[in-house]
Amino acid sequence: MDIGVNKRHVVVSWSDLKLCMHAQFVPPHYRKELLLKLQQLDQGSRSVKEYFKDLEVTLTKINMHESEESNIARFVNGLR
């Protein structure tokens, strides 16, 4: 990402666009809320499939790339 003449970011790639959009439209507290949700996530009364989907969606929203072992440990820890 380059900075143009008027000190604005010039978007030259998809990654640059995602960064600019994220900075503009995602409130700072959103990631913290998602991390808290992820820490407290457990199966509860849901099916394993629903619990896994919620875990997967939350990890995707956070854009967290953990090792497969960490994901498995997090998943198993939340099972009832």
Side-chain angles (χ1 to χ4, degrees):
M1 183 172 352
D2 298 327
I3 297 182
V5 178
N6 358 357
K7 297 191 181 200
R8 288 186 162 186
H9 295 287
V10 177
V11 176
V12 293
S13 71
W14 180 251
S15 298
D16 293 345
L17 178 62
K18 288 190 333 185
L19 287 172
C20 287
M21 296 294 283
H22 189 273
Q24 180 70 29
F25 296 107
V26 178
H29 61 85
Y30 180 69
R31 181 173 169 84
K32 291 177 187 174
E33 289 175 9
L34 285 175
L35 286 169
L36 184 61
K37 177 185 176 183
L38 185 62
Q39 286 178 340
Q40 298 172 345
L41 193 63
D42 64 356
Q43 182 181 359
S45 62
R46 297 178 288 183
S47 70
V48 173
K49 189 173 187 176
E50 291 171 329
Y51 164 62
F52 177 72
K53 184 65 177 174
D54 196 14
L55 178 66
E56 195 174 44
V57 167
T58 305
L59 285 170
T60 301
K61 284 181 180 178
I62 294 175
N63 196 21
M64 183 179 281
H65 302 287
E66 295 180 321
S67 69
E68 188 174 345
E69 292 84 15
S70 296
N71 286 338
I72 291 170
R74 185 182 302 277
F75 175 76
V76 170
N77 189 44
L79 290 174
R80 55 179 143 109

